Amino acid sequence: MNGLEAYTTYLAVRNHFKTKSYDYFKYNGKIKVNENSFRTRRDHYQFEKIAKIYKRDDFVKYLVANFITEDEYILGMSQGRAMVTHKKWQKSIESFSYQFKEDIQTLKEYDSNFNMLFDCRMDGVLHPMVFKLYLRDRVHINTLVAINQLLDFTKVWEYYIGEDKMIKDFIFLLDKYTPFL
């Protein structure tokens, strides 16, 4: 991978997570990039540097890890914090079954009625408990992706929540992140 390919990959993954219309998998990570405009960017050397460190598939994983957690610009991604984020994400992928069991146990501790954790109509409170637990870092996003694959709870949330920006952004993130798992 060279710097231009790293930049193209970055744009494709960024557009996947930032726009409704672009789908990384539908377009196979392809996106139009002008090489001259890439060379005139002040940060093109960062992409050259990253291209020497990562293979394309590993770079995609690196980008995904950072877009689902911190959403940093590429200059920040070459710093230590983004690498730590990537390593934490890799650990969570490798220990998915263990993390899933732990998260289910956490959910059980909060409410023994599993359905109530996803209810967004309870007592006028809009945000379901499972969403609040995610925001508090008590439940991992990978667990929620897996549960959503089974229950499709985000469709119910969309129906009842309406225009709540936090929930809409979270549903968008889940939808965009799901194919990467």
Side-chain angles (χ1 to χ4, degrees):
M1 182 167 75
N2 62 34
L4 181 61
E5 291 169 333
Y7 177 65
T8 303
T9 302
Y10 166 75
L11 287 179
V13 174
R14 187 196 67 181
N15 284 350
H16 178 84
F17 281 99
K18 292 293 184 187
T19 65
K20 289 183 181 184
S21 60
Y22 186 81
D23 185 339
Y24 180 84
F25 296 97
K26 179 179 177 182
Y27 299 111
N28 200 22
K30 303 270 191 262
I31 196 165
K32 284 187 176 184
V33 174
N34 183 335
E35 187 172 357
N36 290 334
S37 63
F38 167 69
R39 296 285 172 218
T40 59
R41 289 177 59 100
R42 292 187 311 163
D43 62 352
H44 74 89
Y45 68 92
Q46 290 286 349
F47 292 100
E48 298 289 349
K49 190 167 119 180
I50 284 174
K52 292 176 183 171
I53 298 171
Y54 294 103
K55 294 178 183 165
R56 187 173 193 272
D57 290 341
D58 294 333
F59 186 51
V60 168
K61 292 173 185 173
Y62 175 83
L63 291 169
V64 167
N66 281 282
F67 278 120
I68 65 165
T69 55
E70 297 176 10
D71 192 24
E72 287 188 27
Y73 178 65
I74 192 68
L75 292 176
M77 288 184 174
S78 63
Q79 304 297 321
R81 193 169 95 195
M83 290 183 177
V84 169
T85 298
H86 177 238
K87 290 217 183 294
K88 279 175 59 178
W89 179 81
Q90 271 185 313
K91 274 185 179 177
S92 73
I93 295 297
E94 291 167 2
S95 65
F96 175 75
S97 61
Y98 173 78
Q99 185 67 48
F100 185 81
K101 288 176 194 171
E102 291 294 311
D103 287 347
I104 295 298
Q105 189 62 38
T106 300
L107 292 174
K108 224 162 114 179
E109 289 171 9
Y110 273 89
D111 199 331
S112 59
N113 184 347
F114 191 73
N115 291 336
M116 294 306 292
L117 292 165
F118 298 89
D119 191 9
C120 51
R121 298 170 290 152
M122 188 175 76
D123 297 329
V125 177
L126 289 177
H127 294 160
M129 181 53 76
V130 73
F131 178 65
K132 292 176 184 178
L133 293 171
Y134 164 74
L135 292 176
R136 296 178 197 154
D137 287 330
R138 300 281 293 143
V139 176
H140 199 276
I141 191 169
N142 295 342
T143 299
L144 295 180
V145 167
I147 293 172
N148 192 46
Q149 288 293 101
L150 297 170
L151 304 178
D152 207 13
F153 62 83
T154 57
K155 294 286 186 235
V156 176
W157 286 6
E158 285 176 337
Y159 179 78
Y160 284 105
I161 294 297
E163 296 301 316
D164 188 297
K165 182 155 174 46
M166 284 178 66
I167 293 286
K168 282 192 173 287
D169 289 348
F170 178 70
I171 291 170
F172 182 77
L173 178 64
L174 273 185
D175 288 344
K176 291 295 191 166
Y177 179 49
T178 296
F180 286 100
L181 287 180

